Amino acid sequence: SKREIKMRKLDSTKVRPLKSEQLLRIEDHDFALRPGFGGSPIPVGIDVQVESIDRISEVDMDFTMTLYLRHYWKDERLSFPSTKNKSMTFDGRLIKKIWVPDVFFVHSKRSFIHDTTVENVMLRVYPDGNVLFSLRITVSAMCFMDFSRFPLDTQNCSLELESYAYNEDDLMLYWKHGNESLSTDEHISLSQFFIEEFSASSGLAFYSSTGWYNRLFINFALRRHIFFFVLQSYFPAMLMVMLSWVSFWIDRRAVPARVSLGITTVLTMSTIITGVSASMPQVSYIKAVDVYLWISFLFVFLSVIEYAAVNYLTTIEERKQLKKRGKASGTYSIDAVQAMAFDGCYHDTDADMDLPAFPVRCEETMTRARAASIPNLSATRIKRKRSLKGNVGRIILQNNHVIDTYSRIIFPSVYIVFNFFYWGLYM
C-alpha cells in the first residue's frame, strides 16, 4: 500500500542493499550457517605464500612470519548468472555478511591483518559459487626449540592452521594443491639462520570436549650460521686459553707477572660466558657452547692452579737447600736468583755481588741477621750489566720447574684433543 511505501522511506535505519548484494542474493539466505548444513562436511582448500620470516627469537622461543593465506570453497548460495562467466571481486566489507571459514593459527602469540593503505582482504566470487578468500597476515607463533647443540643446532618450526568452531564433521581442511600449496619468496633470508626447507603436511587434532579437527602444518627447518659465534665466542675463548699458556714460559719467581696474567684470563673467560648466557633463554640443560666455554675456563683456571703448585714446591725446595747449606758451611750465600727475590730484578751472575755472608746459628736468629745485613746491602755496590739479553734466558732455564716443563706439552696437547672431539661430535 501507499502507506507502507511511505513508512519505508521514512525509516532511516534500513539501508538499501548494494547492487552486488542484490545480484548475490545476500538477503535471501542465512549465512550464519555453513554451506550444505546438515550434509557432508564442506571442503575448504588452503594455499599459502610466505612473504618473509621477520624474526627468530631464541629468548622468547617464537618466530614472526608474514604470509598470504588463501581459502577456497564452494557456496552455491553465492552463485549468480553471468553471460561472460566472469568473477566478481570484493573488498573486506562483504566478508561480514557471508559465511567464511574460521581458520586460526594454533600456538600463535600475536597476529594481525595488514591495513595499509586499506585492509588487505580480498574476496572473489565465481558464477558457479566458488569462492576465493585471501588475507595478508603477520603472525608470531611459538617454536619449541632445543638448544642442546647451540650454536651448532638446527631448529624445526611449524605454523599450524585449524578451524576454531567446525570439527571434521562440518569442515574438511586440506591443502589445495598438495605439496605445491606452499610457496615462498626466493629472496627470503635471515641474519643468523639458513632456511633449509619448507614443507606442507596435514593431520588431526583432538579436543576432549569438541572432537577431532583437521590441522594443516607449514614446516620449515632453520640451520644456524656458525661464523658469527666463532668470531664472538669460540675464537676469543681459544685465544684466552693460549694466552694462559704464556705463564709456563715466564720465570717461576716472577710472581706479579704470572699471577696477573692468570687472573686476567680468568676474568676475561667469565665475561665471555656471561655475555653468551645473557642472550639465551634460561634453559635447564647444557648447551654445546657451554661445554666449550666451561672447558676452556677450566684450562685457564688450571693454569693458575699450576703456578700455585710451582710456587709452593719452589718455596719448599729452597728451604731445604738453605737448611743443607747452613748445616754444611754454617753460612748462607745469596746468589743472583735469591737477590732477585729481594728486589724483583734479574741479576747478572757474572757480576760481583759483594754481599756479605752471615752466620746462621738457629732458626730464631735468622730474622735478626737479615735485618742487620740490610744496611750493608744498601751500602754495598752491586754491579749489573745493562744488557741482559744473553743472561735472562739462561737464568730462566736454570730456574725452570719440572711442572712448567710438562705443562708446556700437556696443556696444548689435551686442548687440541678436546677440540678434535668437540668439533667432530657437534659438527
Side-chain angles (χ1 to χ4, degrees):
S1 64
K2 295 182 179 179
R3 185 177 180 181
E4 290 178 354
I5 295 174
K6 187 177 180 180
M7 291 295 294
R8 289 179 183 177
K9 291 182 178 179
L10 295 175
D11 189 359
S12 59
T13 60
K14 293 185 177 180
V15 180
R16 184 178 180 181
L18 302 175
K19 291 184 179 180
S20 59
E21 296 180 3
Q22 293 177 356
L23 181 62
L24 296 175
R25 304 190 305 275
I26 299 296
E27 294 185 344
D28 296 342
H29 303 283
D30 183 9
F31 284 95
L33 301 176
R34 68 171 180 86
F37 177 75
S40 59
I42 175 175
V44 177
I46 299 290
D47 72 36
V48 172
Q49 180 179 347
V50 179
E51 182 181 1
S52 64
I53 297 179
D54 305 317
R55 186 177 66 96
I56 305 292
S57 175
E58 292 88 355
V59 176
D60 298 328
M61 286 193 182
D62 62 10
F63 64 91
T64 302
M65 178 186 295
T66 300
L67 52 89
Y68 295 94
L69 178 61
R70 304 184 182 97
H71 310 71
Y72 302 87
W73 74 94
K74 186 174 182 179
D75 191 345
E76 295 181 353
R77 296 172 296 183
L78 297 177
S79 60
F80 61 91
S82 176
T83 57
K84 297 181 180 180
N85 197 26
K86 289 185 177 180
S87 62
M88 291 192 299
T89 302
F90 306 93
D91 57 17
R93 289 175 290 182
L94 189 63
I95 302 299
K96 299 178 181 179
K97 299 181 179 182
I98 66 172
W99 182 90
V100 294
D102 58 342
V103 174
F104 80 105
F105 299 100
V106 185
H107 304 307
S108 65
K109 296 181 177 180
R110 297 170 299 275
S111 60
F112 62 90
I113 300 174
H114 290 260
D115 55 2
T116 305
T117 57
V118 294
E119 193 175 26
N120 298 170
V121 177
M122 186 268 288
L123 182 71
R124 182 171 295 170
V125 181
Y126 294 87
D128 58 355
N130 284 310
V131 182
L132 166 60
F133 176 39
S134 178
L135 302 167
R136 182 169 177 257
I137 303 175
T138 293
V139 56
S140 297
M142 294 178 58
C143 179
F144 300 99
M145 301 181 182
D146 181 14
F147 297 106
S148 59
R149 299 178 64 89
F150 176 87
L152 306 169
D153 56 336
T154 298
Q155 301 296 340
N156 296 304
C157 300
S158 63
L159 183 63
E160 305 173 11
L161 295 83
E162 183 181 306
S163 173
Y164 189 82
Y166 299 99
N167 57 24
E168 64 174 354
D169 296 329
D170 291 316
L171 188 146
M172 183 180 66
L173 208 61
Y174 69 99
W175 289 110
K176 176 67 175 178
H177 306 291
N179 293 330
E180 298 180 357
S181 301
L182 180 61
S183 59
T184 60
D185 193 335
E186 296 179 355
H187 303 289
I188 293 180
S189 62
L190 297 170
S191 59
Q192 289 192 24
F193 293 92
F194 173 76
I195 302 175
E196 289 190 334
E197 64 174 348
F198 268 102
S199 62
S201 61
S202 59
L204 291 173
F206 177 75
Y207 299 91
S208 59
S209 57
T210 54
W212 292 90
Y213 291 78
N214 295 113
R215 180 176 294 185
L216 304 182
F217 300 87
I218 302 174
N219 306 308
F220 56 97
L222 303 172
R223 179 167 54 86
R224 197 183 303 274
H225 295 301
I226 185 61
F227 188 69
F228 170 81
F229 296 95
V230 170
L231 293 179
Q232 297 295 323
S233 302
Y234 287 97
F235 189 64
M238 290 181 186
L239 290 181
M240 288 302 104
V241 174
M242 290 187 288
L243 183 61
S244 67
W245 299 340
V246 176
S247 173
F248 305 148
W249 275 266
I250 299 177
D251 189 271
R252 57 178 173 172
R253 296 181 181 274
V255 178
R258 295 190 66 163
V259 171
S260 60
L261 179 62
I263 296 300
T264 301
T265 52
V266 168
L267 294 178
T268 305
M269 283 300 305
S270 301
T271 303
I272 295 173
I273 294 174
T274 303
V276 173
S277 301
S279 60
M280 293 297 299
Q282 306 299 319
V283 295
S284 58
Y285 51 85
I286 299 176
K287 303 180 289 293
V289 67
D290 294 334
V291 174
Y292 193 90
L293 292 181
W294 281 103
I295 294 296
S296 299
F297 182 85
L298 180 62
F299 273 88
V300 172
F301 180 76
L302 289 178
S303 67
V304 179
I305 300 300
E306 185 269 351
Y307 178 63
V310 169
N311 187 271
Y312 176 74
L313 295 177
T314 300
T315 303
I316 295 178
E317 182 180 351
E318 288 182 352
R319 288 179 180 176
K320 292 180 179 180
Q321 291 179 358
L322 289 175
K323 287 182 180 180
K324 290 180 181 179
R325 292 178 184 178
K327 292 180 180 179
S329 60
T331 59
Y332 288 108
S333 61
I334 302 178
D335 56 7
V337 176
Q338 295 169 354
M340 184 190 68
F342 285 112
D343 57 9
C345 300
Y346 289 110
H347 294 268
D348 188 0
T349 55
D350 296 335
D352 295 333
M353 301 179 63
D354 301 328
L355 300 178
F358 49 92
V360 178
R361 297 178 181 177
C362 62
E363 294 289 339
E364 298 178 354
T365 59
M366 285 183 62
T367 305
R368 296 180 181 179
R370 185 173 298 177
S373 64
I374 289 177
N376 296 329
L377 289 174
S378 60
T380 305
R381 181 180 180 181
I382 303 176
K383 298 180 180 180
R384 300 172 180 160
K385 291 184 179 181
R386 294 179 179 271
S387 176
L388 301 176
K389 183 176 181 180
N391 294 325
V392 169
R394 180 166 51 83
I395 292 173
I396 293 175
L397 291 176
Q398 290 176 351
N399 295 283
N400 182 40
H401 198 277
V402 65
I403 297 180
D404 283 339
T405 303
Y406 285 115
S407 298
R408 296 172 187 176
I409 301 174
I410 295 175
F411 273 72
S413 300
V414 176
Y415 194 68
I416 291 173
V417 172
F418 161 70
N419 277 271
F420 177 79
F421 279 102
Y422 178 86
W423 296 107
L425 177 63
Y426 286 104
M427 292 296 288

